[in-house]
Amino acid sequence: MSEPLTLSGIAPSPSIAYLRALIGEGETLREEIEGDADRLMQIVREKLEGFLMPYEFGLKEILTKIEILSGEWDVTTPHNPIEHVKTRVKSMDSLLGKLVRTGCPPDLEEIRHRIRDIGGARITCSYVQDCYLVAHALASQPDITLLEEKDYIANVKPSGYRSLHLILEVPVFLSTRTIDVPIEVQIRTIAMDFWASAEHELKYKYKGELPAEMRAKLVQIAATAASLDEQMGIVREQIEGPSLPTLDNA
C-alpha cells in the first residue's frame, strides 16, 4: 500500500499554492478541489505517481548494471570492490518538500531537469580505490551519460563528509517514448558510510542544527575514519600493487 501523502515539513501557504500550480488546474478542477484538501492531495498523488514511474525503472537499470559488474568481479578477480548496494526513489513528501524549499517551478519537465536525486543508489566499497574503480566502470558504459561528478573524497566537505557523487543519465524505454532519467549514485567506503549514517541521525535528532561541540567532534571522527581508509589503502597496495584508476586518469 502506498504511504499517505502529507505536507509534513512544508509551510502550508506556499505548499497549497504550489500544489495547485503543479496539477495545472482548469476551471472545473478548481471548483472540484476548492476547500477540499483531501481531493487536492489525491490529484497530486495521481500526477506524481506517473512522474516518478520512470525513476523506478531507471533505478532498476542502474541496479542491474551494478549487479552485473559485481557478478563479473566475483568470478574474474580475487576482490570484489562492491560490498553493499542500497537504492531508493524519493517519497512524494520528500520530493514536494525539496521542490518548495529550492524554489523549483511547478512544471514536471523543469523538475526532471533540476532535481537530479529523485532516484538514488548508494554503493559501499572496502577501499577508497574501489570507489573510483566502480565509478569508472559505471560511467564508461556506452548507454550511460555522466552528467555530473562531485568528488567529496578528494574535496572533503567542511563537515567532514566524504563520498563520490555521480549523476548518471540512463535511457528508459517506454511503450511510446524514451525518457532519459538522471540517477544519483553515491559511492563511499564502509568507514565513510558509517560516519555519514551517524551524522544523518544526529542531524535528524537536532533538526539540522547540531551543537558546535558536536560538529567539531564529528569533524575529528571523520578525520580518524579518513586515516583508517588511507592506512588500509597503503596495506592493500603493498599486497596487490598500484592504485586503481580514477574517473580522470582511467
Side-chain angles (χ1 to χ4, degrees), residues 168-223:
L168 303 178
E169 188 175 72
V170 60
V172 172
F173 300 97
L174 301 177
S175 59
T176 58
R177 59 177 176 149
T178 300
I179 300 178
D180 293 321
V181 177
I183 300 293
E184 182 188 59
V185 179
Q186 299 178 0
I187 310 173
R188 59 182 67 154
T189 66
I190 296 170
M192 295 175 198
D193 190 57
F194 174 75
W195 183 94
S197 297
E199 192 238 14
H200 179 77
E201 288 184 10
L202 287 171
K203 275 188 173 180
Y204 183 82
K205 179 179 179 180
Y206 286 94
K207 298 182 180 179
E209 297 295 332
L210 291 176
E213 182 179 350
M214 186 173 293
R215 290 199 304 270
K217 186 64 175 178
L218 283 171
V219 171
Q220 181 183 3
I221 295 171

Side-chain angles (χ1 to χ4, degrees), residues 62 65-66 69 73 123 131-149 164-169 183 185 187 246-248 250:
I62 293 293
K65 292 177 179 297
I66 295 170
L69 288 172
W73 283 322
I123 303 173
C131 296
Y132 291 101
L133 173 64
V134 173
H136 171 69
L138 281 172
S140 62
Q141 296 198 12
D143 58 341
I144 283 182
T145 301
L146 175 62
L147 297 179
E148 184 178 352
E149 175 198 0
L164 187 60
H165 289 200
L166 308 177
I167 303 297
L168 303 178
E169 188 175 72
I183 300 293
V185 179
I187 310 173
T246 69
L247 285 178
D248 293 329

Side-chain angles (χ1 to χ4, degrees), residues 55-71:
Y55 289 93
E56 297 276 3
F57 300 151
L59 200 51
K60 287 181 180 179
E61 292 278 357
I62 293 293
L63 182 57
T64 297
K65 292 177 179 297
I66 295 170
E67 290 174 343
I68 289 172
L69 288 172
S70 181

